Amino acid sequence: MDGLEAVGDPVRRRFVELLARGERTAGELAVHAADEFGITQPAASRHLRVLRETGVVASRVDGQRRVYALDPAGLQEAAAWFEGLAAFRAVEPRAARSDAATPGPREPATEVLQQRLDALGTELARGRAAQRRATVQATAQTTAQATQEAS
C-alpha cells in the first residue's frame, strides 16, 4: 500500500486532516475517530499503523504516549499523482457561465463529487455518534431514576 491508498480511507484521511494542524497523540486521534466514525481505540490504532507504515505520518514516543505528526515526504507521491490530473480539469459549459466570453478551468467533476460524498459520509458518521451518545445519556438517566425510585 502506498500513501495515496492509505489516505483513501475516510478515517485515515480525517487523521491526516487533523495532523495537518499539528502534532496529536494517539489518544486524541482515537477520541476523534470514536466521535466521528464510531470506531474503537484498537481500530484507530490500526489506522494509525497503516499511515505510519506507508510513511504518511511519523511517530515518536513521549513517556507513555505516542505522538503523531504528518510526514510530508509520504504524501509527495499522492501530490504528484494529483498534479498529473491537472490537465484534465473540467470546463464549465459556456451557456451556464456568467462570463461566457472568458472560459476558465474548474475543479474536476469527479473530485467535487468525491468531496461531497466524503462530507456526507462524515456527517452520517457524526450523526450516528450523536445518536449513540444520546442513547447512553438516556439510559443513564433512566437508570438513575429507577435507582432513586427504588430507594
Side-chain angles (χ1 to χ4, degrees), residues 70-91:
L70 274 185
D71 183 352
L75 293 174
Q76 285 180 347
E77 181 180 341
W81 185 79
F82 282 111
E83 286 294 321
L85 294 179
F88 297 102
R89 290 187 176 264
V91 177

Side-chain angles (χ1 to χ4, degrees), residues 3-150:
L4 187 58
E5 287 178 288
V7 296
D9 181 87
V11 174
R12 293 191 289 266
R13 196 166 39 251
R14 181 66 175 138
F15 286 164
V16 169
E17 290 169 355
L18 291 168
L19 292 170
R21 298 180 193 147
E23 290 185 340
R24 297 208 183 231
T25 64
E28 291 171 325
L29 293 167
V31 167
H32 278 284
D35 288 346
E36 293 182 30
F37 298 99
I39 66 172
T40 63
Q41 185 274 329
S45 292
R46 286 190 292 276
H47 283 291
L48 288 168
R49 185 182 70 225
V50 169
L51 290 172
R52 194 173 59 246
E53 289 175 352
T54 56
V56 174
V57 299
S59 68
R60 62 181 170 79
V61 176
D62 181 23
Q64 292 184 345
R65 304 177 318 163
R66 185 176 286 269
V67 180
Y68 285 87
L70 274 185
D71 183 352
L75 293 174
Q76 285 180 347
E77 181 180 341
W81 185 79
F82 282 111
E83 286 294 321
L85 294 179
F88 297 102
R89 290 187 176 264
V91 177
E92 188 175 8
R94 193 169 179 80
R97 288 196 313 263
S98 59
D99 61 337
T102 6
R106 291 180 22 128
E107 290 187 66
T110 55
E111 186 175 330
V112 171
L113 178 60
Q114 186 60 49
Q115 288 172 352
R116 290 180 181 163
L117 290 173
D118 289 345
L120 175 61
T122 299
E123 290 304 315
L124 290 172
R126 287 178 180 159
R128 287 191 297 268
Q131 286 176 337
R132 280 192 299 279
R133 284 192 299 272
T135 301
V136 168
Q137 288 174 348
T139 303
Q141 288 175 350
T142 304
T143 304
Q145 289 173 350
T147 304
Q148 286 178 347
E149 290 173 3

